[in-house]
Amino acid sequence: MKPGQPLIFNIRRFALDDGPGIRTTVFLKGCPLSCIWCHNPESMDPAPAVAFYPDRCILCGDCRRICSEGAVSMHDNRRIKRQRCSACGRCADICPAGAVELLGRYYPARELVEILMKDLIFYGTSGGGVTFSGGEPALHGAYLKPVMKELKKKNIHIAIQTSGMFDLSAFRSEILPFIDIVYYDIKFIDRHEHEKYTGRDNITILDNFQKLAGMPDVRIIPRVPLVPGITATVRNLTGVADFIKSAGCEYYELLPYNSGGIAKRHSLGRDIPAVLNGIRPDVEKEKGYREIFARCFSARVHASSYFTERYHEVIGGLSSRFMQR
Ligand code: SF4
Ligand code: SF4
């Protein structure tokens, strides 16, 4: 890997949740945000990462013998001493049990295109295509542009999943001309909450969203993660619904809380944010959040103020059930 070359940590074929039809989803490393609930924490750092899965380990010791950095300890159930590990990947290559994995590999554009073309027939028959995700794929416009150009020669449908934290003019010139659907995360309406839980404020994100939503040829679908008590509060959902509607969007997607990031953090030797303790996916609560969002979305009356009298009328009894702070 050379400096500046983006790494891919997963290429998921036959994906059914990343856009219309059957898709291949490419996950790129590197993200300007660090959302505490992120279910792909391996995507945050642009550098390669080493994951250790203790339930697969057969204690053969091969990883310790191969590691020249002294970064493996058989007495530590996290196995890898992160401060010593250079992520060379030798332990992952030798491990007979698949208990160590090197996450993040550079694919030359031509090789990536070849992989994506393998499922051309499925894209065609299902109305599917390719989705770029991450991490933040918009960070890698120069790398993705020739890939997308090749895909478009075969008329392949292309979607992108983005945090919205990007330079809009680069996005417009390098990425947007090839994209059929932009899935755009709106996590918080309040900039301080955004900063608290993602590490960055949301000024650029909201601004980019409004501009893109105002472009006639851009199909943009906002997506709101439902993290109980964090993004999924009455106040935030009401504000986000109001904002999205104000921008002229008629569609949205609400994403159920995915707790998979906790196990991944363990495998990467990272601590689990205390605020996530006790948060579990909850189908009943989620139904309530969806109801709140839908009602606010359809009942929007004041574009400039989401915390209004009308808001109390609309969600009335639901607020006491779901207001979490
Ligand atoms: S990735 Fe390399 S440096 Fe890190 S533990 Fe494995 S062999 Fe050692
Ligand atoms: S090489 Fe794999 S199976 Fe063997 S001790 Fe290391 S992690 Fe466990």
Side-chain angles (χ1 to χ4, degrees):
M1 170 198 160
K2 292 184 190 152
Q5 287 182 335
L7 302 184
I8 290 168
F9 66 93
N10 192 9
I11 298 176
R12 185 164 63 200
R13 294 170 69 188
F14 307 110
L16 297 173
D17 297 326
D18 296 325
I22 297 173
R23 311 190 71 82
T24 299
T25 305
V26 180
F27 295 87
L28 291 116
K29 276 175 74 58
C31 187
L33 304 185
S34 46
C35 307
I36 57 157
W37 65 85
C38 181
H39 64 278
N40 285 331
E42 70 274 46
S43 72
M44 290 178 186
D45 189 343
V50 180
F52 171 64
Y53 311 107
D55 52 326
R56 298 183 197 166
C57 177
I58 56 172
L59 295 170
C60 66
D62 285 356
C63 53
R64 187 178 55 77
R65 283 186 283 278
I66 197 86
C67 179
S68 55
E69 309 293 333
V72 176
S73 167
M74 299 305 292
H75 306 294
D76 183 342
N77 59 8
R78 292 189 171 197
R79 191 66 77 246
I80 296 166
K81 297 174 190 164
R82 303 283 164 176
Q83 68 281 13
R84 289 196 182 176
C85 174
S86 62
C88 69
R90 284 202 296 265
C91 55
D93 291 341
I94 203 169
C95 176
V100 194
E101 188 181 12
L102 183 68
L103 301 165
R105 188 199 136 186
Y106 174 69
Y107 290 74
R110 185 180 295 181
E111 185 184 350
L112 181 58
V113 170
E114 274 170 22
I115 293 169
L116 298 175
M117 291 291 187
K118 282 182 187 169
D119 293 328
L120 194 56
I121 188 159
F122 298 110
Y123 308 151
T125 50
S126 69
V130 170
T131 300
F132 294 104
S133 186
E136 176 48 73
L139 293 179
H140 309 297
Y143 167 73
L144 291 179
K145 188 174 176 178
V147 174
M148 295 190 291
K149 229 178 198 168
E150 287 304 308
L151 299 180
K152 277 296 160 204
K153 283 182 190 166
K154 296 281 181 191
N155 231 357
I156 294 175
H157 183 278
I158 305 177
I160 189 167
Q161 296 175 341
T162 178
S163 69
M165 183 63 91
F166 50 65
D167 175 81
L168 186 59
S169 66
F171 186 79
R172 288 184 70 175
S173 65
E174 292 174 335
I175 291 182
L176 205 50
F178 308 98
I179 295 292
D180 298 287
I181 301 181
V182 180
Y183 291 102
Y184 196 110
D185 285 6
I186 304 280
K187 298 173 175 93
F188 293 96
I189 198 65
D190 180 85
R191 62 176 284 196
H192 301 293
E193 286 199 328
H194 201 282
E195 192 163 3
K196 178 176 172 188
Y197 290 112
T198 76
R200 301 280 293 272
D201 72 47
N202 59 1
I203 294 171
T204 302
I205 293 169
L206 299 185
D207 190 46
N208 284 345
F209 181 81
Q210 283 177 318
K211 287 177 177 150
L212 288 168
M215 294 177 194
D217 298 333
V218 176
R219 182 155 185 236
I220 185 165
I221 299 185
R223 305 189 314 165
V224 185
L226 297 174
V227 187
I230 296 181
T231 60
T233 65
V234 171
R235 181 185 171 93
N236 188 50
L237 293 181
T238 310
V240 172
D242 195 39
F243 171 77
I244 290 171
K245 195 82 187 277
S246 308
C249 273
E250 295 298 326
Y251 304 100
Y252 61 84
E253 284 186 3
L254 302 178
L255 307 176
Y257 173 56
N258 180 343
S259 58
I262 292 181
K264 287 186 178 181
R265 279 179 186 265
H266 275 300
S267 73
L268 295 166
R270 295 192 198 152
D271 294 330
I272 311 301
V275 70
L276 292 183
N277 289 335
I279 296 183
R280 303 270 179 281
D282 184 323
V283 175
E284 273 311 302
K285 271 189 181 177
E286 193 189 306
K287 250 170 75 183
Y289 300 143
R290 289 180 183 279
E291 208 172 316
I292 289 167
F293 198 93
R295 288 192 189 197
C296 295
F297 197 75
S298 57
R300 175 187 167 266
V301 282
H302 298 298
S304 57
S305 169
Y306 59 82
F307 213 60
T308 61
E309 293 286 318
R310 178 58 189 266
Y311 143 73
H312 287 291
E313 287 171 27
V314 172
I315 54 176
L318 286 168
S319 62
S320 55
R321 270 177 68 200
F322 295 103
M323 180 74 88
Q324 303 214 5
R325 60 201 160 102

